[in-house]
Short mmCIF file of all heavy atoms in Angstrom, two decimals:
data_model
loop_
_atom_site.label_atom_id
_atom_site.label_comp_id
_atom_site.label_asym_id
_atom_site.label_seq_id
_atom_site.Cartn_x
_atom_site.Cartn_y
_atom_site.Cartn_z
N LYS B 275 -16.58 9.25 -1.19
CA LYS B 275 -15.72 10.18 -0.44
C LYS B 275 -16.60 11.09 0.41
O LYS B 275 -17.41 11.86 -0.13
CB LYS B 275 -14.92 11.07 -1.41
CG LYS B 275 -13.86 10.32 -2.20
CD LYS B 275 -12.66 9.99 -1.35
CE LYS B 275 -11.69 9.07 -2.09
NZ LYS B 275 -10.63 8.57 -1.19
N SER B 276 -16.42 11.05 1.72
CA SER B 276 -17.31 11.83 2.60
C SER B 276 -17.23 13.33 2.33
O SER B 276 -18.23 14.03 2.47
CB SER B 276 -17.00 11.53 4.06
OG SER B 276 -15.63 11.74 4.32
N TRP B 277 -16.08 13.84 1.93
CA TRP B 277 -15.97 15.29 1.72
C TRP B 277 -16.84 15.77 0.56
O TRP B 277 -17.20 16.95 0.50
CB TRP B 277 -14.52 15.74 1.58
CG TRP B 277 -13.84 15.32 0.30
CD1 TRP B 277 -13.06 14.22 0.11
CD2 TRP B 277 -13.88 15.99 -0.96
NE1 TRP B 277 -12.62 14.15 -1.18
CE2 TRP B 277 -13.10 15.22 -1.86
CE3 TRP B 277 -14.50 17.15 -1.43
CZ2 TRP B 277 -12.93 15.60 -3.19
CZ3 TRP B 277 -14.33 17.51 -2.76
CH2 TRP B 277 -13.56 16.74 -3.64
N MET B 278 -17.19 14.87 -0.36
CA MET B 278 -18.03 15.27 -1.49
C MET B 278 -19.52 15.14 -1.19
O MET B 278 -20.36 15.63 -1.95
CB MET B 278 -17.70 14.39 -2.72
CG MET B 278 -16.32 14.58 -3.27
SD MET B 278 -15.97 13.44 -4.65
CE MET B 278 -17.14 14.05 -5.88
N VAL B 279 -19.87 14.41 -0.12
CA VAL B 279 -21.27 14.09 0.13
C VAL B 279 -22.16 15.33 0.29
O VAL B 279 -23.26 15.38 -0.28
CB VAL B 279 -21.39 13.11 1.32
CG1 VAL B 279 -22.82 12.98 1.80
CG2 VAL B 279 -20.84 11.74 0.90
N PRO B 280 -21.74 16.36 1.05
CA PRO B 280 -22.65 17.52 1.17
C PRO B 280 -22.99 18.16 -0.19
O PRO B 280 -24.16 18.42 -0.47
CB PRO B 280 -21.86 18.48 2.07
CG PRO B 280 -21.00 17.58 2.91
CD PRO B 280 -20.59 16.48 1.96
N ALA B 281 -22.00 18.35 -1.05
CA ALA B 281 -22.28 18.96 -2.36
C ALA B 281 -23.24 18.10 -3.17
O ALA B 281 -24.18 18.60 -3.79
CB ALA B 281 -20.98 19.19 -3.13
N LEU B 282 -23.03 16.80 -3.15
CA LEU B 282 -23.88 15.91 -3.95
C LEU B 282 -25.28 15.79 -3.36
O LEU B 282 -26.27 15.67 -4.10
CB LEU B 282 -23.23 14.53 -4.08
CG LEU B 282 -21.91 14.50 -4.84
CD1 LEU B 282 -21.45 13.06 -5.04
CD2 LEU B 282 -22.02 15.21 -6.18
N THR B 283 -25.38 15.81 -2.04
CA THR B 283 -26.70 15.75 -1.41
C THR B 283 -27.52 16.98 -1.83
O THR B 283 -28.70 16.87 -2.21
CB THR B 283 -26.55 15.72 0.12
OG1 THR B 283 -25.80 14.56 0.48
CG2 THR B 283 -27.89 15.69 0.81
N LYS B 284 -26.88 18.13 -1.79
CA LYS B 284 -27.59 19.36 -2.18
C LYS B 284 -27.99 19.30 -3.65
O LYS B 284 -29.10 19.69 -4.02
CB LYS B 284 -26.70 20.58 -1.90
CG LYS B 284 -26.57 20.88 -0.41
CD LYS B 284 -25.54 21.99 -0.16
CE LYS B 284 -25.28 22.12 1.35
NZ LYS B 284 -24.07 22.91 1.62
N ALA B 285 -27.09 18.83 -4.49
CA ALA B 285 -27.41 18.74 -5.92
C ALA B 285 -28.60 17.81 -6.15
O ALA B 285 -29.50 18.10 -6.94
CB ALA B 285 -26.19 18.25 -6.70
N ALA B 286 -28.61 16.69 -5.44
CA ALA B 286 -29.68 15.71 -5.63
C ALA B 286 -31.02 16.31 -5.23
O ALA B 286 -32.03 16.15 -5.93
CB ALA B 286 -29.38 14.46 -4.80
N ILE B 287 -31.04 16.99 -4.11
CA ILE B 287 -32.30 17.57 -3.64
C ILE B 287 -32.73 18.71 -4.55
O ILE B 287 -33.91 18.83 -4.89
CB ILE B 287 -32.16 17.98 -2.16
CG1 ILE B 287 -32.10 16.70 -1.32
CG2 ILE B 287 -33.31 18.88 -1.72
CD1 ILE B 287 -31.80 16.91 0.14
N ALA B 288 -31.77 19.52 -4.99
CA ALA B 288 -32.12 20.60 -5.91
C ALA B 288 -32.67 20.06 -7.23
O ALA B 288 -33.51 20.68 -7.87
CB ALA B 288 -30.89 21.48 -6.17
N ALA B 289 -32.21 18.89 -7.62
CA ALA B 289 -32.69 18.29 -8.88
C ALA B 289 -34.05 17.64 -8.72
O ALA B 289 -34.64 17.21 -9.70
CB ALA B 289 -31.67 17.27 -9.39
N GLY B 290 -34.54 17.55 -7.47
CA GLY B 290 -35.88 17.03 -7.28
C GLY B 290 -36.00 15.72 -6.54
O GLY B 290 -37.10 15.15 -6.47
#
Side-chain angles (χ1 to χ4, degrees):
Chain B
K275 291 285 172 190
S276 54
W277 70 265
M278 294 177 66
V279 168
L282 295 187
T283 300
K284 288 173 188 165
I287 289 173

